[in-house]
């Protein structure tokens, strides 16, 4: 609910482009700027939350924080659509799963497909913008259960990214 309200009133909140510009390359910044304002604000909040966890933020993690949702630019969804997808995922998981396998061009299926596939799409876009393999991996897996990747060299970074994403 909080994320929906923040998205609704994103127009009234300042956008810290300097933080994004200091973290991303020119190509990555151009990709970040394709996100909707609410998504840019969310990504900046994720980066700030990670920064608050510890004094040192690896650049791979900072880049992933800013670009983790960039796959959403492929098929934008409204706040209402996003909210409906989150609710259906909780209340009717079988129906949600069925819709998430649909065509993202379909207005009915789009929010569910985007919710499920944006991480993979984002990893592809980020890779094309020149992110490191670690940042790409973090973007691709940011919605998966972190314990599945225990033992992976970037597991600890994934846990940090998810914690910050979940609270913002």
């Amino acid at each position: 609910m909080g994320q929906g309200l923040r998205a609704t009133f994103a127009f009234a909140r300042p956008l810290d482009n300097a933080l994004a510009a200091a973290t991303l390359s020119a190509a990555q910044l151009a990709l970040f700027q394709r996100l909707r304002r609410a998504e840019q604000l969310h990504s900046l909040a994720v980066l700030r939350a990670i920064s608050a966890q510890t004094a040192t933020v690896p650049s791979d993690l900072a880049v992933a924080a800013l670009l983790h949702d960039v796959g959403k630019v492929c098929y934008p969804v409204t706040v209402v659509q996003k909210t409906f997808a989150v609710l259906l995922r909780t209340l009717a998981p079988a129906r949600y799963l069925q819709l998430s396998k649909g065509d993202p061009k379909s207005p009915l299926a789009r929010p569910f497909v985007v919710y499920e596939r944006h991480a993979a799409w984002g990893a592809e876009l980020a890779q094309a913008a020149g992110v490191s393999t670690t940042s790409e991996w973090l973007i691709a897996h940011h919605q998966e259960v972190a314990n599945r990747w225990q033992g992976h060299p970037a597991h600890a970074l994934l846990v940090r990214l998810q914690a910050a994403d979940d609270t913002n």
Side-chain angles (χ1 to χ4, degrees), residues 1-13 38 41 79 82-83:
M1 173 129 160
Q3 197 173 39
L5 286 173
R6 285 191 297 273
T8 301
F9 295 103
F11 69 90
R13 296 174 50 213
L41 288 165
V79 172
K82 188 185 304 184
T83 302

Side-chain angles (χ1 to χ4, degrees), residues 14-62:
L15 189 61
D16 188 355
N17 285 314
L19 178 57
T23 306
L24 302 170
S25 72
Q28 295 161 6
L29 182 61
L31 185 57
F32 173 81
Q33 290 171 336
R34 289 177 55 195
L35 287 165
R36 291 183 174 191
R37 182 181 185 88
E39 292 160 344
Q40 289 180 29
L41 288 165
H42 164 70
S43 295
L44 288 161
V46 169
L47 178 56
R48 285 190 197 95
I50 289 169
S51 297
Q53 294 169 355
T54 180
T56 306
V57 178
S59 63
D60 295 331
L61 180 55

Side-chain angles (χ1 to χ4, degrees), residues 28 59-61 63-64 123 126-127 129-139:
Q28 295 161 6
S59 63
D60 295 331
L61 180 55
V63 169
Q127 191 237 5
V131 302
S132 70
T133 56
T134 300
S135 292
E136 179 185 354
W137 185 86
L138 290 167
I139 293 165

Side-chain angles (χ1 to χ4, degrees), residues 133-154:
T133 56
T134 300
S135 292
E136 179 185 354
W137 185 86
L138 290 167
I139 293 165
H141 300 286
H142 80 272
Q143 287 204 172
E144 297 177 18
V145 176
N147 287 342
R148 175 179 177 215
W149 296 103
Q150 212 151 11
H152 187 280

